[in-house]
Amino acid sequence: EILNYKLYGVLVGDLIYDSYLRYNELHTVDLNDQKFLEFTENCYNYFVSVKNIFDKNKVKAVILSHTVYLPAFAGRYALKKKIDFYNCGITHLVKLSKKNFFNDIYENYKKEFNNFPKKEKDIKIAIAKKEIKRKLDGKVSTNMENLKFSPFSKKKINNKLFNKNNKIKILVASHCLMDSPHAFGPWHFSDFTEWLEFLGKISLKTNYDWYIKPHPNDMKLNYKYINSFLNRYKKFKLINAVTSHHSLKNNIDYVVTVWGNIAMDLALLDIPVINTHPKGRFTSFNFNYNPKTISSLKKILMNLKKKSNLKININEIYKCFYMHHYEYHNSWLIKDYVEVMRKLGYYNKDDYIIYKYWIQNFSFKKHLNIEEKVFNFI
């Protein structure tokens, strides 16, 4: 009921839920907790105050940095009133709609790539191939601005992490437990904790070797919960969050994630990955398992075979890689976002340093170029 809750005809339940987790650094919601009831009441007051702004002013557009958490209500309410809503950040500028009010619409990736002319497709695949080679060689690459070293690092390979037996081996790639479980819309579970509890119960019914790898975001909350999880589900063994992907090759039979980038990374190593979110990052392609319901997810997990029958098409990965890292998450304000953020220090991204960098590298020519891009887009 909370997740489906609407106010003024606008879905707000997911905003309340995800904000409660994030603002309070929690991994799940207790509906009977007085703190949660008070938080929900404060959310209601916030939504009313936002509506009052629209009632008292002629709002032409809403520009936000996110399409999740409480502030996203202003954008959703704007769409309800047929007012423009833009999501703007250092890597993206997106116009939202009543139908699509989340920043990323992954189910369009394949269709849009297939609409490119043949010559363009060849160029884009060549770009993806070149960057993927860098990734596989362990070089810092796209989507690694927050990591100290590449997950493909060949210096971090450890083949002694896994039991030497003939059992099927499953790795669960966890997520940051408080980081917006509804970032891409509703899915099979209320949050990442419910998802992990589901997998824990599945583990008790199987004769597999189970492993869990925490999210690279080194947050105490994640480890506190995972330690509790390991105490209750004894079949699981903890794997270091910075374990090289190459360590998994020939050692892990299947990987389970909700929507992690690891799903495309490991497909490159011919490791079958089972996604859980029906509209996750890579669900428009066929290089992962993409069950659409909980029952189909459970059926897959309960009937795994040592050798997967999933046929991974490398050309599908090239297409998806290009769409994910270049077509939609390109550096429109800064020439190379990953390189710059690694130079400045990713955890300085919310500090004054990014403004200092911007001013030092500013030019009127650059300003006119960006202005033209925005003008053409709008």
Side-chain angles (χ1 to χ4, degrees), residues 317-328:
I317 302 177
Y318 292 150
K319 294 175 185 179
C320 184
F321 189 93
Y322 180 85
M323 295 302 291
H324 192 56
H325 292 298
Y326 290 95
E327 188 70 14
Y328 280 103

mmCIF file with all atom_site columns, all heavy atoms in Angstrom, residues 317-328:
data_model
loop_
_atom_site.group_PDB
_atom_site.id
_atom_site.type_symbol
_atom_site.label_atom_id
_atom_site.label_alt_id
_atom_site.label_comp_id
_atom_site.label_asym_id
_atom_site.label_entity_id
_atom_site.label_seq_id
_atom_site.pdbx_PDB_ins_code
_atom_site.Cartn_x
_atom_site.Cartn_y
_atom_site.Cartn_z
_atom_site.occupancy
_atom_site.B_iso_or_equiv
_atom_site.pdbx_formal_charge
_atom_site.auth_seq_id
_atom_site.auth_comp_id
_atom_site.auth_asym_id
_atom_site.auth_atom_id
_atom_site.pdbx_PDB_model_num
ATOM 1   N N   . ILE A 1 317 ? 26.360 -7.556 -26.594 1.00 0.00 ? 317 ILE A N   1
ATOM 2   C CA  . ILE A 1 317 ? 27.068 -6.819 -25.543 1.00 0.00 ? 317 ILE A CA  1
ATOM 3   C C   . ILE A 1 317 ? 27.661 -5.535 -26.111 1.00 0.00 ? 317 ILE A C   1
ATOM 4   O O   . ILE A 1 317 ? 27.599 -4.478 -25.478 1.00 0.00 ? 317 ILE A O   1
ATOM 5   C CB  . ILE A 1 317 ? 28.169 -7.689 -24.907 1.00 0.00 ? 317 ILE A CB  1
ATOM 6   C CG1 . ILE A 1 317 ? 27.563 -8.974 -24.331 1.00 0.00 ? 317 ILE A CG1 1
ATOM 7   C CG2 . ILE A 1 317 ? 28.885 -6.913 -23.806 1.00 0.00 ? 317 ILE A CG2 1
ATOM 8   C CD1 . ILE A 1 317 ? 28.586 -9.924 -23.737 1.00 0.00 ? 317 ILE A CD1 1
ATOM 9   N N   . TYR A 1 318 ? 28.237 -5.601 -27.302 1.00 0.00 ? 318 TYR A N   1
ATOM 10  C CA  . TYR A 1 318 ? 28.792 -4.394 -27.928 1.00 0.00 ? 318 TYR A CA  1
ATOM 11  C C   . TYR A 1 318 ? 27.723 -3.313 -28.075 1.00 0.00 ? 318 TYR A C   1
ATOM 12  O O   . TYR A 1 318 ? 27.941 -2.134 -27.759 1.00 0.00 ? 318 TYR A O   1
ATOM 13  C CB  . TYR A 1 318 ? 29.368 -4.714 -29.314 1.00 0.00 ? 318 TYR A CB  1
ATOM 14  C CG  . TYR A 1 318 ? 30.598 -5.586 -29.317 1.00 0.00 ? 318 TYR A CG  1
ATOM 15  C CD1 . TYR A 1 318 ? 30.851 -6.451 -30.395 1.00 0.00 ? 318 TYR A CD1 1
ATOM 16  C CD2 . TYR A 1 318 ? 31.505 -5.562 -28.261 1.00 0.00 ? 318 TYR A CD2 1
ATOM 17  C CE1 . TYR A 1 318 ? 31.978 -7.264 -30.404 1.00 0.00 ? 318 TYR A CE1 1
ATOM 18  C CE2 . TYR A 1 318 ? 32.632 -6.385 -28.265 1.00 0.00 ? 318 TYR A CE2 1
ATOM 19  C CZ  . TYR A 1 318 ? 32.859 -7.229 -29.338 1.00 0.00 ? 318 TYR A CZ  1
ATOM 20  O OH  . TYR A 1 318 ? 33.966 -8.034 -29.359 1.00 0.00 ? 318 TYR A OH  1
ATOM 21  N N   . LYS A 1 319 ? 26.551 -3.719 -28.556 1.00 0.00 ? 319 LYS A N   1
ATOM 22  C CA  . LYS A 1 319 ? 25.454 -2.764 -28.753 1.00 0.00 ? 319 LYS A CA  1
ATOM 23  C C   . LYS A 1 319 ? 25.029 -2.141 -27.420 1.00 0.00 ? 319 LYS A C   1
ATOM 24  O O   . LYS A 1 319 ? 24.866 -0.929 -27.302 1.00 0.00 ? 319 LYS A O   1
ATOM 25  C CB  . LYS A 1 319 ? 24.249 -3.459 -29.401 1.00 0.00 ? 319 LYS A CB  1
ATOM 26  C CG  . LYS A 1 319 ? 24.478 -3.938 -30.821 1.00 0.00 ? 319 LYS A CG  1
ATOM 27  C CD  . LYS A 1 319 ? 23.272 -4.734 -31.329 1.00 0.00 ? 319 LYS A CD  1
ATOM 28  C CE  . LYS A 1 319 ? 23.504 -5.334 -32.697 1.00 0.00 ? 319 LYS A CE  1
ATOM 29  N NZ  . LYS A 1 319 ? 22.336 -6.126 -33.155 1.00 0.00 ? 319 LYS A NZ  1
ATOM 30  N N   . CYS A 1 320 ? 24.839 -2.998 -26.438 1.00 0.00 ? 320 CYS A N   1
ATOM 31  C CA  . CYS A 1 320 ? 24.391 -2.525 -25.129 1.00 0.00 ? 320 CYS A CA  1
ATOM 32  C C   . CYS A 1 320 ? 25.439 -1.625 -24.492 1.00 0.00 ? 320 CYS A C   1
ATOM 33  O O   . CYS A 1 320 ? 25.114 -0.580 -23.910 1.00 0.00 ? 320 CYS A O   1
ATOM 34  C CB  . CYS A 1 320 ? 24.103 -3.722 -24.229 1.00 0.00 ? 320 CYS A CB  1
ATOM 35  S SG  . CYS A 1 320 ? 23.431 -3.272 -22.628 1.00 0.00 ? 320 CYS A SG  1
ATOM 36  N N   . PHE A 1 321 ? 26.702 -2.019 -24.603 1.00 0.00 ? 321 PHE A N   1
ATOM 37  C CA  . PHE A 1 321 ? 27.800 -1.234 -24.022 1.00 0.00 ? 321 PHE A CA  1
ATOM 38  C C   . PHE A 1 321 ? 27.808 0.175  -24.600 1.00 0.00 ? 321 PHE A C   1
ATOM 39  O O   . PHE A 1 321 ? 27.944 1.162  -23.868 1.00 0.00 ? 321 PHE A O   1
ATOM 40  C CB  . PHE A 1 321 ? 29.134 -1.929 -24.297 1.00 0.00 ? 321 PHE A CB  1
ATOM 41  C CG  . PHE A 1 321 ? 30.296 -1.323 -23.570 1.00 0.00 ? 321 PHE A CG  1
ATOM 42  C CD1 . PHE A 1 321 ? 30.686 -1.821 -22.336 1.00 0.00 ? 321 PHE A CD1 1
ATOM 43  C CD2 . PHE A 1 321 ? 31.004 -0.263 -24.114 1.00 0.00 ? 321 PHE A CD2 1
ATOM 44  C CE1 . PHE A 1 321 ? 31.757 -1.271 -21.651 1.00 0.00 ? 321 PHE A CE1 1
ATOM 45  C CE2 . PHE A 1 321 ? 32.076 0.301  -23.444 1.00 0.00 ? 321 PHE A CE2 1
ATOM 46  C CZ  . PHE A 1 321 ? 32.456 -0.200 -22.209 1.00 0.00 ? 321 PHE A CZ  1
ATOM 47  N N   . TYR A 1 322 ? 27.666 0.257  -25.919 1.00 0.00 ? 322 TYR A N   1
ATOM 48  C CA  . TYR A 1 322 ? 27.667 1.583  -26.545 1.00 0.00 ? 322 TYR A CA  1
ATOM 49  C C   . TYR A 1 322 ? 26.482 2.418  -26.052 1.00 0.00 ? 322 TYR A C   1
ATOM 50  O O   . TYR A 1 322 ? 26.651 3.583  -25.667 1.00 0.00 ? 322 TYR A O   1
ATOM 51  C CB  . TYR A 1 322 ? 27.621 1.484  -28.079 1.00 0.00 ? 322 TYR A CB  1
ATOM 52  C CG  . TYR A 1 322 ? 27.632 2.861  -28.692 1.00 0.00 ? 322 TYR A CG  1
ATOM 53  C CD1 . TYR A 1 322 ? 28.828 3.520  -28.913 1.00 0.00 ? 322 TYR A CD1 1
ATOM 54  C CD2 . TYR A 1 322 ? 26.438 3.529  -28.963 1.00 0.00 ? 322 TYR A CD2 1
ATOM 55  C CE1 . TYR A 1 322 ? 28.843 4.816  -29.412 1.00 0.00 ? 322 TYR A CE1 1
ATOM 56  C CE2 . TYR A 1 322 ? 26.440 4.819  -29.464 1.00 0.00 ? 322 TYR A CE2 1
ATOM 57  C CZ  . TYR A 1 322 ? 27.643 5.459  -29.680 1.00 0.00 ? 322 TYR A CZ  1
ATOM 58  O OH  . TYR A 1 322 ? 27.650 6.753  -30.149 1.00 0.00 ? 322 TYR A OH  1
ATOM 59  N N   . MET A 1 323 ? 25.298 1.839  -26.046 1.00 0.00 ? 323 MET A N   1
ATOM 60  C CA  . MET A 1 323 ? 24.113 2.576  -25.631 1.00 0.00 ? 323 MET A CA  1
ATOM 61  C C   . MET A 1 323 ? 24.236 3.039  -24.175 1.00 0.00 ? 323 MET A C   1
ATOM 62  O O   . MET A 1 323 ? 23.888 4.169  -23.833 1.00 0.00 ? 323 MET A O   1
ATOM 63  C CB  . MET A 1 323 ? 22.856 1.717  -25.789 1.00 0.00 ? 323 MET A CB  1
ATOM 64  C CG  . MET A 1 323 ? 22.525 1.341  -27.222 1.00 0.00 ? 323 MET A CG  1
ATOM 65  S SD  . MET A 1 323 ? 22.281 2.767  -28.311 1.00 0.00 ? 323 MET A SD  1
ATOM 66  C CE  . MET A 1 323 ? 20.742 3.424  -27.652 1.00 0.00 ? 323 MET A CE  1
ATOM 67  N N   . HIS A 1 324 ? 24.746 2.148  -23.328 1.00 0.00 ? 324 HIS A N   1
ATOM 68  C CA  . HIS A 1 324 ? 24.786 2.433  -21.894 1.00 0.00 ? 324 HIS A CA  1
ATOM 69  C C   . HIS A 1 324 ? 25.843 3.465  -21.538 1.00 0.00 ? 324 HIS A C   1
ATOM 70  O O   . HIS A 1 324 ? 25.610 4.348  -20.707 1.00 0.00 ? 324 HIS A O   1
ATOM 71  C CB  . HIS A 1 324 ? 25.039 1.135  -21.132 1.00 0.00 ? 324 HIS A CB  1
ATOM 72  C CG  . HIS A 1 324 ? 24.833 1.246  -19.663 1.00 0.00 ? 324 HIS A CG  1
ATOM 73  N ND1 . HIS A 1 324 ? 23.641 1.678  -19.112 1.00 0.00 ? 324 HIS A ND1 1
ATOM 74  C CD2 . HIS A 1 324 ? 25.659 1.003  -18.609 1.00 0.00 ? 324 HIS A CD2 1
ATOM 75  C CE1 . HIS A 1 324 ? 23.743 1.677  -17.791 1.00 0.00 ? 324 HIS A CE1 1
ATOM 76  N NE2 . HIS A 1 324 ? 24.963 1.281  -17.474 1.00 0.00 ? 324 HIS A NE2 1
ATOM 77  N N   . HIS A 1 325 ? 27.007 3.370  -22.169 1.00 0.00 ? 325 HIS A N   1
ATOM 78  C CA  . HIS A 1 325 ? 28.121 4.213  -21.750 1.00 0.00 ? 325 HIS A CA  1
ATOM 79  C C   . HIS A 1 325 ? 28.369 5.426  -22.648 1.00 0.00 ? 325 HIS A C   1
ATOM 80  O O   . HIS A 1 325 ? 29.046 6.365  -22.217 1.00 0.00 ? 325 HIS A O   1
ATOM 81  C CB  . HIS A 1 325 ? 29.408 3.386  -21.679 1.00 0.00 ? 325 HIS A CB  1
ATOM 82  C CG  . HIS A 1 325 ? 29.387 2.364  -20.587 1.00 0.00 ? 325 HIS A CG  1
ATOM 83  N ND1 . HIS A 1 325 ? 29.288 2.701  -19.259 1.00 0.00 ? 325 HIS A ND1 1
ATOM 84  C CD2 . HIS A 1 325 ? 29.445 1.007  -20.629 1.00 0.00 ? 325 HIS A CD2 1
ATOM 85  C CE1 . HIS A 1 325 ? 29.299 1.602  -18.527 1.00 0.00 ? 325 HIS A CE1 1
ATOM 86  N NE2 . HIS A 1 325 ? 29.368 0.566  -19.326 1.00 0.00 ? 325 HIS A NE2 1
ATOM 87  N N   . TYR A 1 326 ? 27.834 5.430  -23.849 1.00 0.00 ? 326 TYR A N   1
ATOM 88  C CA  . TYR A 1 326 ? 28.115 6.525  -24.764 1.00 0.00 ? 326 TYR A CA  1
ATOM 89  C C   . TYR A 1 326 ? 26.859 7.278  -25.203 1.00 0.00 ? 326 TYR A C   1
ATOM 90  O O   . TYR A 1 326 ? 26.807 8.504  -25.152 1.00 0.00 ? 326 TYR A O   1
ATOM 91  C CB  . TYR A 1 326 ? 28.870 6.009  -25.997 1.00 0.00 ? 326 TYR A CB  1
ATOM 92  C CG  . TYR A 1 326 ? 30.283 5.599  -25.678 1.00 0.00 ? 326 TYR A CG  1
ATOM 93  C CD1 . TYR A 1 326 ? 30.588 4.270  -25.393 1.00 0.00 ? 326 TYR A CD1 1
ATOM 94  C CD2 . TYR A 1 326 ? 31.309 6.533  -25.628 1.00 0.00 ? 326 TYR A CD2 1
ATOM 95  C CE1 . TYR A 1 326 ? 31.874 3.883  -25.078 1.00 0.00 ? 326 TYR A CE1 1
ATOM 96  C CE2 . TYR A 1 326 ? 32.605 6.159  -25.312 1.00 0.00 ? 326 TYR A CE2 1
ATOM 97  C CZ  . TYR A 1 326 ? 32.887 4.830  -25.035 1.00 0.00 ? 326 TYR A CZ  1
ATOM 98  O OH  . TYR A 1 326 ? 34.161 4.456  -24.713 1.00 0.00 ? 326 TYR A OH  1
ATOM 99  N N   . GLU A 1 327 ? 25.848 6.534  -25.647 1.00 0.00 ? 327 GLU A N   1
ATOM 100 C CA  . GLU A 1 327 ? 24.654 7.204  -26.176 1.00 0.00 ? 327 GLU A CA  1
ATOM 101 C C   . GLU A 1 327 ? 23.901 7.958  -25.086 1.00 0.00 ? 327 GLU A C   1
ATOM 102 O O   . GLU A 1 327 ? 23.391 9.054  -25.308 1.00 0.00 ? 327 GLU A O   1
ATOM 103 C CB  . GLU A 1 327 ? 23.737 6.165  -26.828 1.00 0.00 ? 327 GLU A CB  1
ATOM 104 C CG  . GLU A 1 327 ? 22.550 6.772  -27.577 1.00 0.00 ? 327 GLU A CG  1
ATOM 105 C CD  . GLU A 1 327 ? 22.969 7.499  -28.854 1.00 0.00 ? 327 GLU A CD  1
ATOM 106 O OE1 . GLU A 1 327 ? 24.114 7.324  -29.317 1.00 0.00 ? 327 GLU A OE1 1
ATOM 107 O OE2 . GLU A 1 327 ? 22.136 8.256  -29.396 1.00 0.00 ? 327 GLU A OE2 1
ATOM 108 N N   . TYR A 1 328 ? 23.823 7.367  -23.882 1.00 0.00 ? 328 TYR A N   1
ATOM 109 C CA  . TYR A 1 328 ? 23.008 7.972  -22.831 1.00 0.00 ? 328 TYR A CA  1
ATOM 110 C C   . TYR A 1 328 ? 23.790 8.546  -21.665 1.00 0.00 ? 328 TYR A C   1
ATOM 111 O O   . TYR A 1 328 ? 23.306 9.397  -20.954 1.00 0.00 ? 328 TYR A O   1
ATOM 112 C CB  . TYR A 1 328 ? 22.004 6.941  -22.299 1.00 0.00 ? 328 TYR A CB  1
ATOM 113 C CG  . TYR A 1 328 ? 20.817 6.808  -23.204 1.00 0.00 ? 328 TYR A CG  1
ATOM 114 C CD1 . TYR A 1 328 ? 20.693 5.725  -24.067 1.00 0.00 ? 328 TYR A CD1 1
ATOM 115 C CD2 . TYR A 1 328 ? 19.832 7.784  -23.234 1.00 0.00 ? 328 TYR A CD2 1
ATOM 116 C CE1 . TYR A 1 328 ? 19.608 5.612  -24.921 1.00 0.00 ? 328 TYR A CE1 1
ATOM 117 C CE2 . TYR A 1 328 ? 18.747 7.683  -24.081 1.00 0.00 ? 328 TYR A CE2 1
ATOM 118 C CZ  . TYR A 1 328 ? 18.642 6.594  -24.923 1.00 0.00 ? 328 TYR A CZ  1
ATOM 119 O OH  . TYR A 1 328 ? 17.578 6.495  -25.770 1.00 0.00 ? 328 TYR A OH  1
#
